[in-house]
Amino acid sequence: MTSKTFVTVGAGQTAAVAARTLRRRGFDGRIVLIGDEPYAPYQRPPLSKEFLSGADTFESLLLLPDTWLATNDVEIVTGTEVTRVDPGTRAVELAGATPIVADAVLFATGGRPRTLPVPGPRPDLVHYLRTVDDAQRLQRTLAPGRRLVLIGAGFIGLEIASTASSLGVDVVVLEAADVPLSGVVGARLGEVCARLHRDNGVDIRTGTAVSGLRTTDAGVVIDLADSSSLEADAVVVGIGITPNVAVAAASGLAVDDGIVVDAKGRTSIPNVYAAGDVARRYSERAAGHVRVEHFDNANKQGVAVANAMLGRDAVSDEASWFWSDQYGHNIQSLGPPTGELTIRGSVDDLDFTAFYTDGDVVRGAFTVDRGEDVMVARELLGRRVDLAALTDEDTDLWELVEEEEVMNR
Amino acid sequence: MTVQWAAVATTKELGRRRKLRVEVGGVAIALFEAAGQVYAFADTCVHQDRSLVKGTLLHGKVICPGHQWQFDLDTGYEESQDRCQPTYDVRVEADTIYVSPIPRATAPVSTGRQAQA
């Protein structure tokens, strides 16, 4: 049998998980991961939290240890840009290197932060956070008493606010919407998150649109839509990411705010796949194409697409899940923030699970320091439950799962 | 060397909740019961120091409440992270649960290729 070659364009979470899955499933061909960063694949979630605070080392973030790479014979090409994949031959064309002809290609190119124009002499005072280099650059500015302004109160911005304020930095968060995170967790829970920050001394200014920012020799000036302005020693812009689709487009793949793929991660060109932040995948659950920018999605789709490449049917279409850690509180969210909220526990004490319910059907859940409810919430998704039992702390939630199973027998 | 088994709890104490936190020589141990078997894990999750005893038992795994890492009850192995939680040998005799205070050697999962699943 001729040995096959599998190449990933991108070397982040999705690519690493796909490589690991291929070896676990017995694929014995050549595996090459090509990344434009100078590092082997690493975990990004700690970049705004434990790594930024200095608690975690870079080595602890590495996904595929050297011993594993050697034993499993996986090649990692760092600091290298892919320019195009020839759709006919699947030759992966590299900037300044010989093309690699692949039997299957996985696009796992992720995304890059959306940027704002920054005139002035000190562009280095305005930060973004996506890579370990970004995190290290930002880390150097986080000293007690420094004034940090975060533009955008998304999860990345809020995690940076939490980390920076616990390091003694004076933090202001500017958010154009009236409530942070309302699109992600709903208005009421977004308000809970905002309160968490305010209680920890972070100045969150909602309904505050930024009209521009510029640097001076002394710092950054942020101009607001109401014609006022504020000054900072450094700014982090956290206003979302743009999927990296340039190479896919140059290769002729169908692109629509992400690389369009089917449920199995297949692109419009045979034996070319896409997964992770960059992929707009067909989801039966959502009855349409979705592009999800969460770690868990990168993991699950990395596994699914590796299986698909081996001809295994392993579609993953689970409800989206993510976590965030802020001020020692652990937040987790499962499923879409739709419908009404049914609360179990105490919102005031930040010890609760909020179920998103549509009538008596569970659609999702949001937990603060109750991660133990996430697995059972997953089982309850789409099921009809007794809402009174859901809020009753004396009811074991697993009993609601079992009841339903009995009813369906 | 002979193992000094430590009596940590009775099966009744583990009881209906099937989860119990005990201490052996100053180390927090999480006991779990599934399908009549008792398992002992280091209670502090290798990932972010959360308490595993607050976790969920499901399909032969203990699931950490912190970030949903899923550890195999028999081996402590977390497949998608490729890491192991320390586990301890357990002996049950006349309703008393004994735990070996020395963690079991972890299987060399991260160095070799996995068997085909």
Side-chain angles (χ1 to χ4, degrees):
Chain A
M1 183 184 124
T2 328
S3 184
K4 291 193 170 180
T5 298
F6 165 73
V7 174
T8 69
V9 184
Q13 184 77 29
T14 303
V17 168
R20 197 158 64 191
T21 306
L22 285 173
R23 285 292 184 246
R24 283 181 178 173
R25 297 286 176 263
F27 175 75
D28 60 0
R30 185 180 177 203
I31 299 178
V32 189
L33 314 186
I34 304 169
D36 55 4
E37 288 186 62
Y39 310 106
Y42 59 87
Q43 306 172 58
R44 294 188 199 280
L47 295 182
S48 52
K49 304 185 275 286
E50 301 85 8
F51 182 77
L52 188 61
S53 74
D56 277 5
T57 61
F58 177 63
E59 285 65 37
S60 72
L61 307 187
L62 290 170
L63 286 162
L64 305 173
D66 286 345
T67 48
W68 186 92
L69 289 171
T71 313
N72 288 276
D73 191 21
V74 168
E75 300 165 51
I76 296 183
V77 181
T78 57
T80 299
E81 218 174 291
V82 173
T83 51
R84 177 177 171 267
V85 176
D86 186 306
T89 62
R90 283 185 306 281
V92 179
E93 300 171 6
L94 310 174
T98 315
I100 302 171
V101 177
D103 297 280
V105 177
L106 169 62
F107 277 81
T109 44
R112 63 185 183 285
R114 286 196 198 114
T115 57
L116 294 175
V118 186
R122 296 292 306 275
D124 57 303
L125 298 180
V126 176
H127 297 258
Y128 299 91
L129 183 54
R130 178 74 181 178
T131 66
V132 69
D133 286 345
D134 292 341
Q136 278 170 336
R137 232 164 49 79
L138 176 59
Q139 200 177 40
R140 289 195 284 272
T141 77
L142 301 181
R146 296 292 296 275
R147 296 166 306 165
L148 180 70
V149 169
L150 298 162
I151 298 176
F155 271 105
I156 297 278
L158 292 177
E159 287 175 355
I160 296 169
S162 166
T163 304
S165 73
S166 54
L167 294 172
V169 177
D170 184 4
V171 182
V172 177
V173 181
L174 305 177
E175 169 58 47
D178 288 334
V179 179
L181 304 172
S182 59
V184 196
V185 300
R188 183 171 169 199
L189 297 172
E191 199 54 67
V192 170
C193 294
R195 199 191 79 210
L196 170 63
H197 286 264
R198 289 183 179 125
D199 288 350
N200 282 278
V202 168
D203 179 5
I204 297 197
R205 302 187 195 173
T206 53
T208 304
V210 171
S211 57
L213 68 164
R214 58 201 149 88
T215 63
T216 66
D217 289 328
V220 190
V221 179
I222 303 102
D223 295 316
L224 305 178
D226 67 0
S227 300
S228 66
S229 63
L230 66 159
E231 289 178 21
D233 298 310
V235 163
V236 184
V237 179
I239 53 172
I241 64 164
T242 305
N244 289 326
V245 295
V247 182
S251 311
L253 303 186
V255 167
D256 174 18
D257 180 36
I259 302 170
V260 180
V261 296
D262 68 5
K264 293 180 171 180
R266 297 181 293 198
T267 69
S268 53
I269 292 174
N271 297 311
V272 178
Y273 299 78
D277 288 1
V278 77
R280 180 168 292 283
R281 172 181 58 89
Y282 179 75
S283 162
E284 196 177 310
R285 175 184 291 275
H289 285 77
V290 293
R291 193 170 67 75
V292 182
E293 297 169 357
H294 293 309
F295 172 86
D296 188 50
N297 175 67
N299 260 340
K300 294 222 163 77
Q301 299 308 324
V303 171
V305 86
N307 280 310
M309 285 185 295
L310 296 174
R312 289 164 172 251
D313 189 12
V315 170
S316 172
D317 192 27
E318 290 182 45
S320 78
W321 169 79
F322 65 87
W323 83 92
S324 179
D325 291 303
Q326 301 173 23
Y327 308 103
H329 290 286
N330 173 254
I331 295 168
Q332 299 186 37
S333 175
L334 176 72
T338 56
E340 302 294 311
L341 287 183
T342 301
I343 309 279
R344 179 183 177 88
S346 167
V347 174
D348 285 346
D349 296 340
L350 290 174
D351 176 16
F352 68 95
T353 295
F355 292 93
Y356 300 104
T357 46
D358 175 3
D360 59 358
V361 177
V362 176
R363 296 295 182 200
F366 177 92
T367 68
V368 178
D369 290 339
R370 291 208 180 185
E372 60 271 28
D373 287 349
V374 168
M375 286 309 297
V376 67
R378 218 182 250 291
E379 298 294 320
L380 290 171
L381 291 181
R383 297 193 190 215
R384 298 181 61 185
V385 295
D386 174 5
L387 295 187
L390 211 52
T391 59
D392 175 11
E393 297 251 44
D394 291 329
T395 302
D396 182 341
L397 293 173
W398 286 103
E399 285 171 18
L400 302 178
V401 178
E402 283 151 20
E403 262 170 36
E404 170 93 0
E405 279 168 0
V406 170
M407 277 159 59
N408 287 343
R409 252 170 222 155
Chain B
M1 199 178 91
T2 46
V3 178
Q4 299 292 309
W5 291 95
V8 292
T10 63
T11 50
K12 196 178 170 192
E13 286 168 319
L14 185 54
R16 226 187 123 254
R17 297 190 61 85
R18 302 190 295 145
K19 300 186 282 190
L20 186 68
R21 187 178 182 278
V22 297
E23 285 206 5
V24 177
V27 177
I29 304 276
L31 297 179
F32 301 106
E33 191 254 293
Q37 280 283 110
V38 180
Y39 303 87
F41 276 61
D43 185 49
T44 305
C45 181
V46 284
H47 178 218
Q48 296 265 322
D49 299 345
R50 303 275 167 171
S51 173
L52 279 188
V53 82
K54 287 184 72 185
T56 304
L57 288 172
L58 191 66
H59 309 316
K61 304 255 173 73
V62 55
I63 300 161
C64 179
H67 304 89
Q68 311 295 328
W69 285 26
Q70 308 194 358
F71 300 100
D72 185 273
L73 272 175
D74 287 315
T75 61
Y77 182 56
E78 213 299 348
E79 189 183 19
S80 65
Q81 304 294 337
D82 202 23
R83 285 176 69 179
C84 269
Q85 178 74 8
T87 58
Y88 299 81
D89 283 326
V90 175
R91 197 158 61 94
V92 180
E93 247 171 53
D95 298 339
T96 299
I97 300 167
Y98 298 85
V99 170
S100 159
I102 302 153
R104 293 196 295 213
T106 52
V109 283
S110 60
T111 51
R113 285 191 190 182
Q114 300 293 302
Q116 271 187 262

